[in-house]
Each structure stands twice: as C-alpha cells, then as structure tokens.
Amino acid sequence: MAFKNKDIVSINDLSKSDIIHVLEVARKLEQKPRLHLLDGKLMASLFFEPSTRTRLSFETAMQRLGGRVIGFADPNVSSYGGKGESLSDTIRMVERYADVIVMRHPNDGAARLAADIARIPVINAGDGANQHPTQTMLDLYAIKKSQGKIHNLSIGMLGDLKYGRTVHSLAIALSLFDCRLFFISPDSLAMPQDIKDDLRNKGITHTEHLKVEEVLSKLDILYATRIQKERFPDAAEYEKVKRAYVLTKELFTRAKPNLKILHPLPRINEISTDVDETKHALYFEQAACGVPVRQALIALVLGRLK
Ligand code: NCD
C-alpha cells in the first residue's frame, strides 16, 4: 500500500509486503541516518497510559530525524484526565496542531476512534488489551536481525496471552511468515479464541502448553510477556498467576544455540536477571530496534519516504 497519510492502527491493516517494506526502510535508516528527513514536521505524543520504551523511542525517532514533538506522558495534566474532556474533542484539537499523532490509550478500540476522527495519520502505540502494531514491527525486526529470517521459525509466546496486546499483534503478523507457534500460559490467560481461529483458518500450526519445558528445546524464539496486572478485573485472580513463569539461566541449558529470548519489557519477575548475561538474551537489543522501526513508520506516513 501507499503509506502516505495512512493510519497504523492494527497489524491486520498491513499486508506481508507492507511489513517487509517497513523493515527494509528501517534497515536503511539504521545504516544511514538521515538527519534532516523530518525537518519541519511535528509529532503529537499522547500517552493516556504509562510507557517508557514506546514513548521514548517514538520521540527519539522523531527528534533524531530533525522532527519535533509535543504531547503529554500523563493524561492527568491534560483536560481529558483533569477536566473530563472527551477523547474525540482532544483529537479534534491536536490534529490542528501536529502532522502525526502517536497515541496510547487504556481502551480497546481507542486508536481506531482517533484515526476515524483525525485527518492526519494516527499511529497506535497500544490500545488496551487489543493491539500494539509498532511493537510487532520492532519485534519482527529484532527476529530478522538475530535469525537472518522470519520465515519458518519455531516461536514460543509465554505469559499473559489473554491481556497482552503485544502477543496479539505478533501472532497475527507471524501467521504471514509460516512460523510454528507455541502458546505457553496458564489456562486462564490463554490466547483469545478469535486469534486462534484466525491462525487455524490460515493453516498455521499452533499448540498450547502450560509449561515452557514442554517445548523449549524446539524453539528459535521465546517471547516472554508480563502478566498484565492493570487489566485484571479482579485482584485475587492476578495474585493466582502473578508468578506463573520465572525463567532462570539453568532452564536454557536445554535450548538450541540460536534461541533468542525476547520481551517487550517491562519485566517484573518473568525473566531472572541471571539470564541477561547469556547469549540467549535479546530484550535490550530488541528495545533499541524501536528507534529505526518507528523512524521508518513516521517517515512513511508523513510521505517523506516511499
Ligand atoms: C508493552 C505494552 O505496553 O503493551 N510494553 C511496551 O510497549 N514495550 C508490554 C507490557 O506493558 O507488558
């Protein structure tokens, strides 16, 4: 598709060739930074939910290419959080100030709502438990960098597959690349049925497991996730599963040599710090991939690159 003026709301809106194109543009920008590519452009960064990496890497992406940023990292300082202004009115104002909106919001579907209202491109930086498409693109970029390919890999996703938006977007994207998927979670945090149905319709092999040991030795990628405490309707339910998985260094003695562990971060207790020193740990390099990938996306939707 032509990216100019497009919204990036769901990974479902992108074809396989769109995704490959974004990764290729990101690779070129990483190799050869273009310091004035976004001169004169302004990004509105609207974060209605906490963020460290996503917000900072979007802002870094913009500023390192010569663009500028306005916005808020805490909705309580905005009229939305402080005075009760609607999201629609907030977007109607911001679209008159900026050239592109990057938004994170606790409600599923908020990014689609904003995109329908705004005449400028809206990039979804996470909407509730629904989608996180730009995280997926940086995850794919990190996978490609570490494995030399995305196709035909065995990929485990572990942790909170019910409320984790990163794994929802990632599973859908990987279905385009003929990967074998292994979903490892407590029963109560299984991958949503609609995503499993979608995979089945596309003929993607996927199996469900309670224990990581059942599949670890087969994996090329283990994608661990945080149990999403803030999305549990009932605190007692969170208590039951909050330590469902704690990956330690010993576990990986049985892993394939090329296995890489990814995590969108923040980690709470899913990956013990002794794993950081192993050759399998990729999560900090993964986080760094956010900058070139978000540079590519911003430059494409603003029409500064094709
Ligand atoms: C993730 C998110 O916000 O969905 N973080 C991120 O963007 N890197 C994962 C999480 O919060 O657990």
Side-chain angles (χ1 to χ4, degrees):
M1 73 174 180
F3 277 90
K4 189 175 177 186
N5 288 329
K6 284 277 163 29
D7 304 304
I8 309 290
V9 170
S10 162
I11 201 76
N12 282 305
D13 303 340
L14 299 169
S15 68
K16 182 174 172 180
S17 63
D18 293 335
I19 293 175
I20 291 172
H21 183 58
V22 173
L23 302 184
E24 186 52 24
V25 171
R27 189 185 65 77
K28 287 188 187 144
L29 284 174
E30 189 175 20
Q31 275 174 0
K32 192 166 175 288
R34 295 185 48 189
L35 303 183
H36 299 290
L37 186 65
L38 298 179
D39 277 2
K41 292 291 186 186
L42 187 58
M43 175 180 104
S45 162
L46 312 182
F47 278 72
F48 296 91
E49 256 195 350
S51 171
T52 299
R53 276 149 293 272
T54 304
R55 185 175 66 82
L56 294 179
S57 66
F58 262 115
E59 296 193 4
T60 302
M62 193 69 190
Q63 304 213 33
R64 285 205 184 273
L65 296 184
R68 298 197 202 190
V69 182
I70 56 167
F72 50 82
D74 173 359
N76 295 320
V77 303
S78 75
S79 290
Y80 173 92
K83 300 181 184 174
E85 186 169 33
S86 69
L87 179 62
S88 335
D89 283 2
T90 307
I91 297 298
R92 283 193 185 96
M93 287 304 106
V94 174
E95 69 160 345
R96 289 169 163 83
Y97 302 146
D99 302 299
V100 56
I101 294 174
V102 171
M103 187 179 93
R104 167 170 288 186
H105 196 281
N107 296 349
D108 297 27
R112 183 70 71 196
L113 177 85
D116 287 346
I117 294 168
R119 286 160 299 178
I120 62 172
V122 171
I123 303 180
N124 181 8
D127 63 323
N130 186 32
Q131 282 266 329
H132 196 346
T134 70
Q135 176 72 40
T136 291
M137 281 186 258
L138 81 87
D139 296 339
L140 296 174
Y141 191 79
I143 291 172
K144 175 119 198 263
K145 240 182 165 179
S146 72
Q147 307 289 333
K149 62 174 187 176
I150 304 173
H151 283 96
N152 206 22
L153 296 171
S154 291
I155 301 192
M157 297 186 194
L158 168 137
D160 187 346
L161 308 185
K162 178 179 182 183
Y163 296 116
R165 55 194 172 198
T166 65
V167 282
H168 298 162
S169 298
L170 184 60
I172 295 167
L174 288 171
S175 72
L176 304 170
F177 292 90
D178 290 326
C179 290
R180 290 165 298 280
L181 303 180
F182 301 86
F183 297 142
I184 308 139
S185 76
D187 281 334
S188 62
L189 298 179
M191 186 60 84
Q193 194 59 47
D194 60 320
I195 296 182
K196 289 188 286 190
D197 289 345
D198 184 49
L199 296 173
R200 196 159 295 119
N201 291 338
K202 290 181 181 148
I204 300 299
T205 311
H206 60 279
T207 50
E208 297 186 275
H209 309 269
L210 290 175
K211 288 184 173 294
V212 63
E213 289 82 352
E214 292 169 28
V215 296
L216 186 75
S217 61
K218 298 183 194 159
L219 300 179
D220 302 301
I221 297 287
L222 176 59
Y223 193 97
T225 64
R226 173 178 72 88
I227 310 293
Q228 307 280 299
K229 181 179 182 184
E230 68 277 26
R231 312 228 187 272
F232 280 67
D234 178 353
E237 287 304 309
Y238 171 72
E239 288 302 314
K240 282 187 207 159
V241 289
K242 70 178 185 188
R243 289 187 63 83
Y245 302 101
V246 181
L247 305 174
T248 58
K249 192 175 162 181
E250 300 83 77
L251 184 69
F252 296 99
T253 52
R254 270 162 288 163
K256 285 170 70 171
N258 66 310
L259 170 89
K260 295 294 179 206
I261 307 162
L262 274 71
H263 192 307
L265 302 175
R267 68 171 153 189
I268 307 305
N269 50 22
E270 312 79 57
I271 304 179
S272 120
T273 51
D274 67 1
V275 178
D276 300 358
E277 70 207 37
T278 70
K279 65 180 179 202
H280 303 296
L282 195 73
Y283 24 95
F284 295 116
E285 282 102 317
Q286 176 192 359
C289 297
V291 174
V293 168
R294 288 172 171 135
Q295 286 181 327
L297 283 166
I298 296 167
L300 285 164
V301 301
L302 287 177
R304 288 280 166 101
L305 288 176
K306 276 206 176 115

